[in-house]
Amino acid sequence: GFRLRHEDLAERKAELDLLMHNVPSMICHGDRDKRCLYANRAYIEFYDPNGRQPVGRTVREIVGEEAYAGVDERLDRVLAGERQTYRGVRKSPRGEMRTLDIDLLPEIGESGAVTGFFAVINDITDSVHAEEDLRRSEHKFASAFRSSPLAVAITRLEDGRYLDVNEAFVRLFGWTREEAIGRTSLDLGKWATPEARVAWAAALKRDGRVTNLETNFRTSSGELRRVLLSAEL
């Protein structure tokens, strides 16, 4: 039969080491005693940037007592064959608090028994901060949208249906928020003429925005009002 030569095995191992050391995830392979058998470059740089090799040390020794709280129980469950996925906050060597997505997987041997574990860890701090910034921005936008003294509407480009209108819109035109959402300005009869809307929509699609277009709008009672209309895609 075919036998893989020793040089081929060494080459495959070198390729695997190169791959593992260059992935952004932190990877650790441990045994049933919760002792590190292998760690890639990202794991070493996060937990021990001074170069002290984690191989041969327990997870408790590597991450420290404070960070290890609760991890021991999770590792016990992994070594019993149960995968553990959770989010934790750890202090980096530079003293920064980092948010990590941690995936602990049991290592299954040829006999089917659990022989150790793998830890795959991703630092998601930047994306979490970006999400928080986005939520804060959305909250500020929503507050400004609701409280603006100008009548503001958000419509879907595809068919012009209202997605939301603010309180000033309701006061100016008379339709309630519930009456407006899901309908178009033509459904409501807001434009004085359909042709005026066609010209406005064409300019908006062509230029991406329309500023201070003077036109006539009808209110829910049929009253015509002269308005300045600005819109942006």
Side-chain angles (χ1 to χ4, degrees), residues 8-223:
D8 292 331
L9 286 171
E11 184 179 345
R12 297 291 87 76
K13 182 180 183 303
E15 290 174 351
L16 181 60
D17 284 343
L18 180 64
L19 172 64
M20 296 289 275
H21 276 304
N22 284 282
V23 295
S25 299
M26 305 174 223
I27 300 173
C28 174
H29 177 207
D31 61 17
R32 289 197 61 85
D33 294 326
K34 304 167 188 174
R35 194 173 299 276
C36 178
L37 301 175
Y38 170 85
N40 74 341
R41 182 179 293 120
Y43 188 94
I44 295 170
E45 288 177 352
F46 185 87
Y47 284 106
D48 212 334
N50 296 323
R52 185 183 175 192
Q53 183 55 247
V55 172
R57 299 162 61 201
T58 65
V59 175
R60 183 193 296 270
E61 292 169 334
I62 295 168
V63 305
E65 287 293 335
E66 183 180 354
Y68 193 70
V71 175
D72 194 54
E73 180 183 349
R74 291 184 183 275
L75 285 175
D76 285 339
R77 295 172 72 174
V78 172
L79 293 172
E82 182 181 338
R83 180 174 181 168
Q84 293 283 296
T85 300
Y86 63 103
R87 182 167 293 181
V89 177
R90 301 287 185 265
K91 184 180 291 186
S92 77
R94 292 181 294 276
E96 303 168 332
M97 300 307 294
R98 309 296 294 180
T99 302
L100 307 179
D101 269 353
I102 303 167
D103 201 4
L104 302 176
L105 305 96
E107 179 190 20
I108 309 300
E110 292 182 2
S111 65
V114 178
T115 58
F117 69 91
F118 291 96
V120 180
I121 305 168
N122 289 290
D123 187 337
I124 60 165
T125 308
D126 294 340
S127 60
V128 168
H129 286 171
E131 290 172 4
E132 291 172 350
D133 290 343
L134 178 59
R135 282 195 294 270
R136 282 193 290 267
S137 297
E138 288 174 343
H139 177 72
K140 290 177 182 177
F141 169 80
S143 298
F145 173 76
R146 287 192 300 269
S147 62
S148 172
L150 300 176
V152 183
I154 302 173
T155 62
R156 190 164 57 190
L157 181 63
E158 176 187 353
D159 55 15
R161 295 187 185 279
Y162 288 112
L163 300 176
D164 205 354
V165 298
N166 71 349
E167 294 173 7
F169 181 99
V170 174
R171 288 195 301 270
L172 177 61
F173 295 112
W175 289 286
T176 67
R177 184 170 177 269
E178 290 72 24
E179 288 173 330
I181 291 176
R183 303 173 71 188
T184 70
S185 57
L186 291 178
D187 292 336
L188 297 176
K190 189 157 70 76
W191 286 88
T193 65
E195 292 77 15
R197 186 195 180 280
V198 170
W200 164 80
L204 179 61
K205 290 181 179 179
R206 181 186 67 244
D207 302 327
R209 66 176 61 192
V210 173
T211 303
N212 290 334
L213 171 68
E214 191 171 340
T215 188
N216 291 315
F217 275 157
R218 283 195 182 92
T219 68
S220 61
S221 65
E223 177 189 355

